[in-house]
């Protein structure tokens, strides 16, 4: 019961679920058993803003986008914060671990990649890709070729004003976009399967 804003199928077959209501990440086995719980820490009291996308990295750490605080916190399996990455300006909607300690973060007016020292090594703003009419960079997925597929949240008065899903190259060029706002109005997240 409650609000769950994130899920990820893990390589071992378990599923990671981010539950805002109980402020925790759970790993569930294919049989439906909870095999791990990681409590997240936040000062936010409104359940809806506790977290958005959470991902378990190949390093075994949990990367959590704390929506209402505009920050990514990285947790170990003992629920301890081992790293905190600010994502200003705007909220933090997705935190995706990449290679070499880099992390892809998305928020309302900014999507960026930071290195292991939290230095921004790449970023894009809505003004740099105006043709897509980005209202909010939400769920982001980095492809093997370096392109990023990102959902564009078009709720809260932005209905029909932009492209719900966009693929952006490292050079900040729009490679592909999904433009059908009639059948798909509000896309919060996106995951490329293959």
């Amino acid at each position: 019961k409650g609000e769950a804003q994130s899920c990820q199928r893990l390589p071992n077959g378990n599923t990671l679920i981010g539950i805002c209501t109980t402020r925790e990440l759970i790993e569930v086995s294919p049989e439906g058993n909870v095999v791990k719980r990681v409590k997240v820490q936040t000062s936010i009291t409104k359940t809806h803003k506790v977290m958005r996308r959470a991902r378990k990295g190949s390093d075994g750490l949990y990367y959590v986008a704390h929506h209402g605080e505009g920050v990514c916190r990285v947790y170990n399996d003992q629920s301890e914060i081992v790293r905190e990455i600010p994502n200003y300006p705007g909220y933090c909607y997705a935190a995706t671990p990449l290679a070499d300690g880099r992390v892809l973060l998305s928020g309302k007016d900014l999507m960026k990649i930071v290195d292991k020292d939290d230095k921004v090594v790449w970023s894009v703003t809505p003004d740099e890709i105006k043709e897509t009419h980005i209202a909010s960079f939400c769920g982001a997925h980095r492809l093997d070729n370096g392109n990023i597929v990102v959902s564009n949240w078009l709720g809260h008065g932005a209905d029909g004003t932009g492209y719900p899903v966009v693929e952006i190259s490292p050079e900040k060029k729009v490679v592909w976009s999904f433009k059908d706002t009639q059948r798909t109005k509000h896309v919060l997240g996106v995951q490329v399967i293959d």
Side-chain angles (χ1 to χ4, degrees):
K1 291 184 176 180
E3 185 173 339
Q5 288 279 354
S6 182
C7 65
Q8 175 191 17
R9 183 60 50 95
L10 302 174
N12 66 2
N14 290 349
T15 301
L16 176 68
I17 303 170
I19 306 173
C20 295
T21 312
T22 56
R23 297 168 183 259
E24 68 182 338
L25 306 173
I26 61 172
E27 282 192 36
V28 180
S29 71
E31 297 77 32
N33 301 313
V34 176
V35 296
K36 189 172 290 184
R37 291 181 186 274
V38 174
K39 287 298 215 180
V40 300
Q41 300 173 40
T42 179
S43 61
I44 296 297
T45 56
K46 186 176 180 181
T47 299
H48 185 65
K49 292 190 174 191
V50 167
M51 72 176 111
R52 285 297 185 268
R53 190 177 209 183
R55 289 292 181 258
K56 186 174 185 179
S58 59
D59 56 7
L61 299 175
Y62 300 88
Y63 295 74
V64 180
H66 286 283
H67 166 54
E69 291 178 278
V71 67
C72 165
R73 291 197 180 99
V74 183
Y75 298 86
N76 62 20
D77 61 3
Q78 302 299 308
S79 302
E80 298 167 327
I81 299 170
V82 298
R83 182 177 177 189
E84 185 167 297
I85 311 165
N87 189 49
Y88 297 108
Y91 301 110
C92 190
Y93 292 126
T96 307
L98 305 173
D100 303 325
R102 293 177 299 146
V103 180
L104 169 62
L105 299 169
S106 64
K108 180 167 176 37
D109 299 317
L110 177 68
M111 185 166 57
K112 67 183 179 181
I113 296 175
V114 298
D115 66 13
K116 60 182 178 53
D117 299 316
D118 300 340
K119 179 184 173 192
V120 176
V121 296
W122 181 88
S123 67
V124 66
T125 64
D127 285 343
E128 293 177 283
I129 50 172
K130 286 184 180 183
E131 68 271 26
T132 62
H133 305 282
I134 296 289
S136 289
F137 290 109
C138 276
H141 179 86
R142 188 166 183 265
L143 303 175
D144 291 340
N145 65 5
N147 291 352
I148 296 170
V149 178
V150 64
S151 57
N152 177 16
W153 173 251
L154 295 171
H156 306 298
D159 291 12
T161 62
Y163 303 164
V165 181
V166 179
E167 181 178 342
I168 305 164
S169 74
E171 297 79 27
K172 303 179 189 181
K173 303 293 182 199
V174 176
V175 176
W176 171 87
S177 57
F178 177 78
K179 302 173 185 176
D180 188 344
T181 59
Q182 294 304 308
R183 291 186 296 162
T184 307
K185 291 185 181 186
H186 303 141
V187 180
L188 186 61
V190 62
Q191 179 73 39
V192 178
I193 302 300
D194 57 22

